[in-house]
Amino acid sequence: MRQDLVVWWVREDQRLHDNPALCAACEDARARGVPLLCLATEAPGGVTRWGFDRVGAHRRWVTWRRLQGLAAALGRHGQGLRWLPLPAVEALRALQADHRLVAIHAQQGLAPQERAEEDALLAQGLPVHRHESGGLFTRAALPFGQDVRTGALALPRSFTPFRAAMEHRSPPPPLGEPPHWPRRPQGPDGAPPPPDCPSADPRSIHPYTTPACDPGEAAALQHLERYLASPAVAAYKQTRNAPSDAAASTRWSPWLAGGALSPRQAWAALDAHDAASGRSEGSHWIRVELLWREYFRWLMAVEGARLYRPTGLHADAPPPRHDAGGFERWRAGRTGLPLVDAGMRELAATGWLSNRLRQVCASALLHEMGGDWRAGAAWFEAQLIDYDPQSNQGNWAYIAGYGTDPRGGRRFDLAWQARQHDPDGRYVARWLDNPGP
Ligand SMILES: Cc1cc2nc3c(=O)[nH]c(=O)nc-3n(C[C@H](O)[C@H](O)[C@H](O)COP(=O)(O)OP(=O)(O)OC[C@H]3O[C@@H](n4cnc5c(N)ncnc54)[C@H](O)[C@@H]3O)c2cc1C
């Protein structure tokens, strides 16, 4: 039956709390007296130009599981989650052929692919309403003004002035769940078929098949609370680079990247922590890291497709070279460089890597193995359970010297890194001597 519908188009923000697009969709549907359709669509897949699947097994399973959790949470409010196994633009067009979509509320995309989807729908006359979400600050709250020539946001070209301008500002408090839920439309939901579940690796420090590390919103909120009640916060600055300790850093990224947790929720929880226990060096540095995430979001918003060019933001720089054999050895964890091989094997086995090992492995691909930074970024994109286009592309470009590093890129001294971060060789032994499951 043809129905008038308001749609919440599920994109990165896969949660009920602090979700401006979902709140607006609920309010809109209620005001118009029409049902709310919550719609998930198939994520882009396929094979990369470097010859491997764009989405690897860890990410595929985590994404599926998060959607299951979202469907269950919506069900508790009498809502459903309809899944259309099509790319977003086709799915919404197909829906429009059967129904009258009076409004489509969605999180505003930042990366070129998401922006292209929105533009295509708008060009076809679909009523897309974009909501700024998933970051700490809105565009209007940034103190940077406009580039006089292009009219774009005049974002600082490096992180330090961005941080100086933003670190004493407070983001708005997070929203709660929508206060009123409209009725749901008639018709079945459909659910994505479960992908193969990768075998659990007992060495993983973020075992995402266990309840504690489940990718959904409920586990995200429990982890946030548990982490902030632990002594790990105070020690964060000293421990954050340790490669093999589950409490060394927050491990918020799988939930932040998947949208099960918003950075405003994390920031507000840090504020509450500091109000109760006093501001610590640890909580200060966690906020600085959240500002790095924020910086890369705005960088993507301003630079878009330029961040994907061979020379990134430096049009006149020499293009990267690419040694395909070196890249394959790097990808397989067979470079002969113990710390790098350990990191690459941890990544392939678990979908996770600490920040320091990401830096070390990225530097090794660029400087020891002669690989193109975009191939490395694509491999991380396929593997990481916390894959986030802004943070991944921004960090890779930074290390390669094609982004916003004022020093023009980083080359890590591997022997020094091993002495500093794995002095007893435990991390290397864990991944190189023990074959795993
Ligand atoms: C080559 C490379 C690729 C990366 N790809 C991603 C990615 O796809 N997704 C992703 O979320 N992070 C990425 N990072 C950033 C960083 O490594 C992870 O965010 C961090 O390791 C996640 O662990 P944590 O949650 O315990 O972080 P913590 O150290 O506890 O930091 C708290 C939060 O701050 C943010 N953060 C921390 N460091 C960075 C950083 N350098 N850049 C941006 N945000 C940061 C994250 O949201 C993180 O959850 C990448 C870093 C490098 C060097």
Side-chain angles (χ1 to χ4, degrees), residues 157-340:
R157 290 294 282 193
S158 66
F159 175 68
T160 305
F162 176 83
R163 172 184 156 186
M166 301 311 294
E167 70 183 337
H168 300 297
R169 294 168 195 253
S170 296
L175 305 171
E177 289 189 2
H180 307 288
W181 292 92
R183 63 202 157 87
R184 58 176 288 174
Q186 294 158 356
D189 285 338
D196 291 339
C197 181
S199 56
D201 192 307
R203 297 166 295 179
S204 172
I205 64 169
H206 192 84
Y208 55 78
T209 53
T210 61
C213 298
D214 181 88
E217 182 172 10
L221 297 176
Q222 280 164 14
H223 178 80
L224 183 67
E225 194 181 323
R226 224 179 7 246
Y227 179 80
L228 288 173
S230 77
V233 187
Y236 173 83
K237 182 159 188 268
Q238 287 72 44
T239 58
R240 70 178 292 258
N241 284 316
S244 51
D245 175 1
S249 61
T250 65
R251 276 185 299 121
W252 291 346
S253 62
W255 289 292
L256 285 168
L261 177 71
S262 84
R264 287 182 190 168
Q265 287 175 293
W267 196 279
L270 279 167
D271 284 347
H273 166 273
D274 287 359
S277 323
R279 212 176 162 91
S280 68
E281 195 185 42
S283 64
H284 169 72
W285 283 101
I286 296 170
R287 283 192 185 83
V288 172
E289 297 308 328
L290 289 172
L291 286 176
W292 267 110
R293 179 181 183 275
E294 186 74 5
Y295 179 68
F296 285 131
R297 288 178 63 80
W298 289 110
L299 187 67
M300 182 67 84
V302 172
E303 300 294 346
R306 283 190 287 276
L307 267 171
Y308 291 83
R309 294 190 303 202
T311 58
L313 306 184
H314 301 264
D316 301 331
R321 60 201 176 99
H322 186 59
D323 178 333
F327 175 63
E328 289 308 319
R329 290 199 297 284
W330 178 80
R331 200 156 78 85
R334 303 203 177 281
T335 63
L337 305 163
L339 189 61
V340 176

Side-chain angles (χ1 to χ4, degrees), residues 18 29 42 48 50 56 77 83 128 133 170 176 179 196 264-265 299 331 352 357 360 375 378 406:
D18 197 28
E42 192 171 81
T48 65
W50 314 99
H77 295 283
W83 185 73
V128 176
S133 171
S170 296
D196 291 339
R264 287 182 190 168
Q265 287 175 293
L299 187 67
R331 200 156 78 85
W352 171 265
L357 262 293
V360 164

